Amino acid sequence: MQLELRETDRQPGQSMTTKLKRVQTRIDYVDEVYKTLLDAISDGSIAPGTRLTQEEIAEQMEVSRSPVLQALRLLKKDGLVQDAPGRGVLVTPLTIESISNLYLIRGALDNLAAKMAAARGAAIDPVYVSRGREISKGKNIKAMIDADMAFHNAIYEASGNPLIAQSAQVYWVHLRRAMGAVLQSSKQRESIWLEHEAIAQAISAGDVVKAGELSDLHTTHARENLIERLSQYLAQ
């Protein structure tokens, strides 16, 4: 399955073709390998169904197999990879059901955070929106995902309830993959930041009801857009 949902003839289980960056000299190789693979899976560079082997990853990143094995174990624990027939692992497929469930949870948390932030009279720094809009004009999907996460994390923090952010982080690992697919569309990038700006304005105005409604609308749009694109791909 193709995470980026772009035209491709990749078949599930096909070997990885993405070139991974070489790991620089660092103390914690495991963390670096994990982050590199996580980013590649999240932004679509490594598609669902892609087979990953310790040998290939270790060779490309110029590290031993030990940190690669540990990084793959962490990714498996996160649910991002799964055992493959024979050797290695496969990047876990995206399914309509899993994406729908993730966005339902995200919607509930985002709604709560937005309403609590508005009730506290919090202000979301406009730099999050301006920076996000600027980044969305480029081609760096990882930077777009990071900017989106930064905006929502700002709302979580503004809510004054640290448990919201802690709960949300469990799901954002998987949401990054979904966002990577949605952000391939330049049209979606523009509408996302228009919605972000409206949510921020409602929070700053102290409008609890509107902040919650706009947050729900934003999550619903994101969920519907991704499910539509994923459905079109699966129908091919």
Side-chain angles (χ1 to χ4, degrees):
M1 186 183 297
Q2 177 65 30
L3 174 60
E4 297 171 287
L5 306 185
R6 296 179 290 193
E7 291 298 322
T8 178
D9 58 358
R10 177 187 294 279
Q11 298 298 319
Q14 181 175 327
S15 298
M16 178 177 68
T17 58
T18 298
K19 295 299 182 182
L20 300 171
K21 68 178 182 179
R22 175 182 179 276
V23 171
Q24 302 299 318
T25 301
R26 296 181 185 274
I27 297 177
D28 192 346
Y29 287 108
V30 176
D31 186 58
E32 185 68 11
V33 173
Y34 171 80
K35 289 181 178 178
T36 298
L37 291 173
L38 175 61
D39 287 341
I41 291 172
S42 297
D43 67 18
S45 298
I46 301 179
T50 300
R51 182 185 296 271
L52 305 177
T53 65
Q54 296 177 47
E55 296 82 2
E56 184 177 6
I57 295 171
E59 180 180 356
Q60 287 196 32
M61 301 184 74
E62 298 185 19
V63 296
S64 67
R65 296 183 185 179
S66 179
V68 174
L69 174 61
Q70 295 181 62
L72 289 176
R73 284 175 174 169
L74 291 173
L75 290 169
K76 185 176 179 181
K77 183 179 180 181
D78 291 337
L80 296 174
V81 301
Q82 60 190 41
D83 291 330
R87 298 171 57 251
V89 296
L90 293 177
V91 177
T92 303
L94 284 172
T95 67
I96 292 176
E97 181 180 12
S98 65
I99 293 303
S100 180
N101 289 336
L102 282 170
Y103 271 91
L104 288 174
I105 298 297
R106 173 188 168 178
L109 291 172
D110 284 6
N111 174 283
L112 177 61
K115 290 192 293 187
M116 291 185 68
R120 298 178 71 231
I124 306 301
D125 193 331
V127 73
Y128 287 107
V129 174
S130 60
R131 183 185 298 137
R133 277 189 169 135
E134 187 62 30
I135 292 174
S136 70
K137 297 176 183 178
K139 298 181 179 180
N140 189 332
I141 300 298
K142 178 183 180 300
M144 294 178 203
I145 294 173
D146 289 343
D148 195 295
M149 290 178 64
F151 173 79
H152 287 285
N153 281 327
I155 296 178
Y156 299 154
E157 183 176 353
S159 75
N161 186 338
L163 293 179
I164 294 179
Q166 292 176 26
S167 300
Q169 293 314 309
V170 176
Y171 304 101
W172 272 101
V173 172
H174 299 279
L175 288 172
R176 289 181 64 185
R177 302 178 68 204
M179 291 168 60
V182 171
L183 290 171
Q184 300 296 337
S185 168
S186 59
K187 181 179 180 181
Q188 291 304 322
R189 298 175 203 169
E190 181 180 354
S191 63
I192 284 171
W193 287 102
L194 285 172
E195 292 175 5
H196 282 171
E197 183 176 39
I199 294 170
Q201 290 175 346
I203 290 174
S204 298
D207 193 329
V208 175
V209 174
K210 188 174 183 179
E213 290 176 345
L214 290 174
S215 180
D216 283 342
L217 187 62
H218 175 62
T219 305
T220 297
H221 284 165
R223 174 177 170 273
E224 290 177 347
N225 288 330
L226 183 59
I227 289 178
E228 180 182 2
R229 300 194 71 202
L230 187 55
S231 296
Q232 291 172 350
Y233 174 76
L234 292 175
Q236 294 178 359

